[in-house]
Amino acid sequence: MRAFLGIEAFVRVVEAGSFTAAAERLQTAKSSVSETVRALEDRLGVRLLDRSTRKVQPTEAGRAFYARCRLLLREEEAARLEAQALQEAPAGRLRVAAPECFAARHLMPGLAAFLAAHPAVEIDLVEAAGLVRLVEDGFDLAIRVTEAPAPGLVVRRLATSRVVIVASPGYLAQHGAPAVPGDVARHRCIGFAPLPWRDTWRLGSETVAIRPVLLTDHAESLRAAAVAGVGLAAIPDWAVADAIASGGLQRVLPACETPESGIFAVYPTNRLMVPKVRAFTDHVAAMLRERGLPP
C-alpha cells in the first residue's frame, strides 16, 4: 500500500492548481500536502510538479502520472461504492441538486416522509436554476427538467413537464386574451432568463419573439409576477397547476402545442448502485405520480 501514499494529494494539487486549494479540499494542512507529494516524488525518483511562487503545474512526467492516478482513484471510489451498496439500509449524506421552484413545490412536501423512513440519511439540497457539475462539485444526483439530458450520465425519467402560457384573471380582464400566437407579441410578457424561452416562445407551429417587461432568473418570481398581473408568462405546468386549479391563473392559447421536456434524475454512473441514491430516486418517482405529474 506504500506505493499509493500521496497519490490523492498529488491529484488534488494538479486539479486545484495550488497546494493551498488542494489542502482545503482534503481538509488538511498545506504543509502536510506538500510533504506528502514531496515524499511521493522521492519514492518515484521523478519530479512531478513544477513549483513557483505564483502557481504549481505538472511536469511532462507529472501529466502522464496524473492521468494514470485519476483512473486509480476512480476505481477506488467505484470499489468503495460497490461495498456500500451491499449494505441494506440507506445511510450517509445525500447531496442533491434541483431547480429551486421544483424543489420547493415537489421535493420538500415529501422529504419528511423520506427522512422518517430512512433515519440514517442526511440530505444536502442545493437549489439552482442552472446546471451544476455533478462530479466536480460532489453531487450524488440532480433533478433536471430538460428535453435531452447530457450524455455520459445515468438517467431515469421521473415525469413529464410541459410549458403553458398563463396570466392572471385581472390581467386578462384589462388586456384581453390572445386569440392566435401572433397576438402574444403585443402583450406584456414575463421572461425567464435561464432558458431559451426568455424572449422566444414556441406556440404550435409558430415561434413568437417577445420583449419582456420583466425578466427574472427565478421560477418562483416568474410565477408570482404572473399571479400579480404583470403579464403573460411561459412556465412549466408543474409550477402553476395549483394556481390554475384555484383560479389564480388562467391558461391562454391552450390549443397551441408548447415545448415538452422530461423531469429526470441524473447521476454519475458510479452512484446508481448506492442505496441512499436508489431509495431517494424511488421515493421521488412515487411522489410525483401521487401528485399527478404525467410519466
Side-chain angles (χ1 to χ4, degrees), residues 96-142:
V96 182
E100 27 80 19
C101 184
F102 185 86
R105 296 191 171 276
H106 294 287
L107 293 185
M108 290 301 181
L111 284 189
F114 176 80
L115 292 172
H118 305 290
V121 174
E122 299 173 346
I123 294 177
D124 179 3
L125 178 63
V126 175
E127 302 176 47
L131 297 183
V132 298
R133 302 177 304 172
L134 285 177
V135 176
E136 294 85 348
D137 294 333
F139 284 96
D140 294 294
L141 78 151

Side-chain angles (χ1 to χ4, degrees), residues 140-231:
D140 294 294
L141 78 151
I143 306 297
R144 290 184 178 167
V145 182
T146 180
E147 293 184 16
L153 299 172
V154 176
V155 175
R156 176 176 174 181
R157 187 183 181 101
L158 302 174
T160 296
S161 170
R162 180 176 290 279
V163 173
V164 292
I165 313 300
V166 297
S168 71
Y171 175 86
L172 295 175
Q174 182 177 358
H175 298 278
V180 295
D183 292 343
V184 168
R186 294 188 288 274
H187 275 262
R188 297 171 64 84
C189 296
I190 312 163
F192 187 51
L195 297 177
W197 69 65
R198 60 180 291 163
D199 53 14
T200 305
W201 293 0
R202 284 167 29 210
L203 300 168
S205 60
E206 297 186 42
T207 299
V208 180
I210 64 165
R211 186 181 179 89
V213 296
L214 171 64
L215 190 62
T216 178
D217 64 353
H218 199 282
E220 279 290 352
S221 295
L222 176 65
R223 170 196 160 97
V227 171
V230 173

